[in-house]
């Protein structure tokens, strides 16, 4: 599969950990580093069974951006195959998404079924993705309505992220490990 990333990825992000300076303040979640902003809240999504952090969710004005980083190869990208799998999975659950041109290139936009108490509601959702050097970063933007202003700010947050692939051999598509940040006073 071909790689999918904006032409300016190396200067505008999302970044590889090797592309950011040491002076930039980032919150270190292991494979993903985020530059904190005044208007955002960050939550770690933890798997109930394994008790491991499986995603990071950033919230700005009620809009959510969930981030996950995956292992990839130097030559192949994951975004095209991921989009196909997402379309099939969402359609099988009664939702619908379609590829459209977005800020970062191809993205999926549509409506995804979500649980709200006892009932299932349809939630506007956008999937964005970028293939980086040996990693793939996926973002899922969701809200009851997605304003273009907050969408642009969430994409900006996505682009400011830095991915640390690490040197561990991992099969393509495997989730890169996340953890809660360690504060200086914890060490």
């Amino acid at each position: 599969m071909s790689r999918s990333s904006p032409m300016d990825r190396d200067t505008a992000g999302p970044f590889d950990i090797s592309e950011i300076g040491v002076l930039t303040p980032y919150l270190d979640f292991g494979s993903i580093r985020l530059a904190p902003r005044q208007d955002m809240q960050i939550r770690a999504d933890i798997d109930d069974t394994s008790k491991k952090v499986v995603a990071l969710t950033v919230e700005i004005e009620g809009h959510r951006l969930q981030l996950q980083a995956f292992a990839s190869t130097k030559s192949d990208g994951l975004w095209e195959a991921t989009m196909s799998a997402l379309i099939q999975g969402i359609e099988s659950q009664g939702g619908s998404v379609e590829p459209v041109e977005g800020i970062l290139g191809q993205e999926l936009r549509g409506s995804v079924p979500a649980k709200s108490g006892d009932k299932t509601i349809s939630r506007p959702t956008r999937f964005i993705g970028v293939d980086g050097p040996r990693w793939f970063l996926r973002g899922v933007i969701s809200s009851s309505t997605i304003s273009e202003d907050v969408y642009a700010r969430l994409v900006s947050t996505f682009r400011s992220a830095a991915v640390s692939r690490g040197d561990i051999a991992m099969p393509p598509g495997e989730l890169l490990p996340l953890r809660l940040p360690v504060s200086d006073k914890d060490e």
Side-chain angles (χ1 to χ4, degrees):
M1 288 279 174
S2 64
R3 300 169 65 75
S4 175
S5 63
M7 296 292 277
D8 62 351
R9 188 213 55 80
D10 59 341
T11 56
F15 301 101
D16 186 75
I17 195 71
S18 67
E19 297 166 335
I20 61 170
V22 294
L23 299 178
T24 312
Y26 276 91
L27 296 172
D28 183 350
F29 291 93
S31 62
I32 299 176
R33 308 225 172 135
L34 289 175
R37 292 172 37 161
Q38 288 294 96
D39 61 348
M40 75 181 197
Q41 296 170 309
I42 304 168
R43 181 183 79 231
D45 300 335
I46 298 172
D47 178 68
D48 292 335
T49 310
S50 69
K51 303 295 183 216
K52 289 187 175 174
V53 180
V54 293
L56 299 176
T57 298
V58 173
E59 189 169 326
I60 297 177
E61 292 181 23
H63 292 64
R64 286 180 197 87
L65 165 65
Q66 184 188 65
L67 294 163
Q68 291 180 300
F70 300 87
S72 187
T73 65
K74 285 182 182 165
S75 55
D76 293 332
L78 293 177
W79 185 219
E80 287 181 26
T82 300
M83 282 193 288
S84 297
L86 286 167
I87 292 168
Q88 287 179 334
I90 291 165
E91 287 177 350
S92 74
Q93 296 171 17
S96 66
V97 288
E98 63 182 5
V100 296
E101 200 60 29
I103 294 174
L104 298 171
Q106 282 282 296
E107 66 180 47
L108 294 177
R109 289 187 190 180
S111 199
V112 176
K115 288 272 185 224
S116 178
D118 313 357
K119 48 186 189 193
T120 300
I121 58 168
S122 193
R123 173 162 286 156
T125 304
R126 297 181 186 188
F127 294 87
I128 56 178
V130 168
D131 291 304
R134 296 179 56 236
W135 51 260
F136 165 67
L137 184 64
R138 182 179 75 193
V140 183
I141 297 172
S142 63
S143 181
S144 53
T145 59
I146 299 175
S147 81
E148 290 303 311
D149 170 55
V150 179
Y151 162 72
R153 290 192 347 223
L154 287 169
V155 170
S156 170
T157 299
F158 179 86
R159 290 198 85 170
S160 72
V163 177
S164 177
R165 164 66 172 81
D167 295 327
I168 303 163
M170 297 175 87
E174 188 164 319
L175 190 62
L176 295 177
L178 289 166
R179 60 176 164 72
L180 296 174
V182 177
S183 71
D184 292 338
K185 56 185 176 288
D186 291 345
E187 291 179 13

